[in-house]
Amino acid sequence: MRLFIRNMVSLRCKMMVKYELDKLELKYTIVELGEVHIVGNMSPEKLSQFKLALIEMGLDLIDDKKTQLVEKIKNVVIEMIHYAEELPRTNFSDYLSEKLNMDYTYMSNVFSQTKGITIEQYIMVHRIEKVKELLIYDELTIKEIAYKMNYSGTSHLSNQFKKVTGITPSFFKAMKTFRRTGLEEL
């Protein structure tokens, strides 16, 4: 039995979902961002308990196919940008199509209709959030961050950063308090 979970966007979410599954004595084979594979079927009572536990964690089960697809896209983007060692050197559209084994135009249309923004805008916001994280760590120069995040150069990174945040990366880096956004809020 496959379950799709909204807002399951971090390793901590995965740990919390595993904990709840173990607590309910449910056997599972896979717990990934946004998706759980349960061995066999769940009783209505256990499903209800699991739903309540998810709601307490700020998560939710998804039944609608289009919403499930959007969550899959979101989770691939989050995994790609925030958890992979390096970004793919191919087009993000090709990467998503290959990863989800679907036509990009279809995915893009469903995503835009459901979220109200394009996949490209969603990716841009996440890339900028990752850039913020790298700026805060202060281990890489802006030029190194631009390369790591697949920007054509520092000016491309700076322009996109300013477009999303309203400030330059240098100004952000110099700020005393940093403004970061949780992944589930992007």
Side-chain angles (χ1 to χ4, degrees):
M1 172 181 216
R2 289 172 62 187
L3 300 175
F4 296 95
I5 302 173
R6 182 186 335 270
N7 295 330
M8 189 173 164
V9 296
S10 68
L11 300 177
R12 180 164 291 166
C13 290
K14 284 172 58 173
M15 289 176 17
M16 291 174 14
V17 167
K18 283 181 181 180
Y19 173 78
E20 288 301 327
L21 291 168
D22 291 338
K23 197 165 89 174
L24 291 169
E25 298 177 345
L26 293 167
K27 303 259 187 262
Y28 54 88
T29 56
I30 295 173
V31 177
E32 290 298 330
L33 296 180
E35 188 173 344
V36 174
H37 293 214
I38 307 286
V39 176
N41 290 317
M42 294 172 76
S43 69
E45 180 184 312
K46 291 229 180 187
L47 182 60
S48 177
Q49 290 173 336
F50 186 58
K51 281 182 178 182
L52 286 174
L54 289 175
I55 289 168
E56 286 178 14
M57 292 185 275
L59 307 175
D60 192 18
L61 283 181
I62 306 168
D63 297 324
D64 174 66
K65 295 286 185 200
K66 286 185 177 183
T67 307
Q68 288 175 0
L69 175 58
V70 168
E71 285 299 310
K72 285 181 186 179
I73 293 166
K74 286 169 51 179
N75 289 326
V76 168
V77 169
I78 289 168
E79 207 171 277
M80 171 182 70
I81 293 174
H82 298 281
Y83 298 114
E85 285 298 313
E86 64 179 55
L87 292 176
R89 296 289 172 189
T90 63
N91 290 336
F92 293 131
S93 58
D94 294 339
Y95 180 81
L96 282 170
S97 290
E98 185 179 313
K99 192 83 171 162
L100 295 174
N101 197 27
M102 295 186 101
D103 176 62
Y104 182 77
T105 304
Y106 174 74
M107 289 189 298
S108 180
N109 288 336
V110 169
F111 192 90
S112 296
Q113 290 168 358
T114 306
K115 293 290 293 172
I117 63 169
T118 66
I119 293 175
E120 291 80 11
Q121 290 168 321
Y122 187 77
I123 290 170
M124 181 173 44
V125 168
H126 275 275
R127 284 173 78 193
I128 295 302
E129 199 57 37
K130 182 66 175 184
V131 168
K132 286 181 187 178
E133 178 183 323
L134 295 170
L135 288 168
I136 290 168
Y137 291 162
D138 202 25
E139 294 174 348
L140 301 172
T141 66
I142 293 175
K143 184 177 180 178
E144 291 168 328
I145 292 171
Y147 177 78
K148 180 178 178 67
M149 296 305 297
N150 280 355
Y151 286 97
S152 59
T154 55
S155 62
H156 182 212
L157 165 61
S158 294
N159 289 338
Q160 207 169 74
F161 193 94
K162 189 165 185 170
K163 182 178 179 181
V164 172
T165 65
I167 59 176
T168 66
S170 300
F171 186 81
F172 178 84
K173 194 171 186 171
M175 289 172 44
K176 297 284 185 230
T177 56
F178 298 106
R179 300 179 305 174
R180 298 262 336 268
T181 306
L183 296 182
E184 64 278 352
E185 296 170 25
L186 293 175

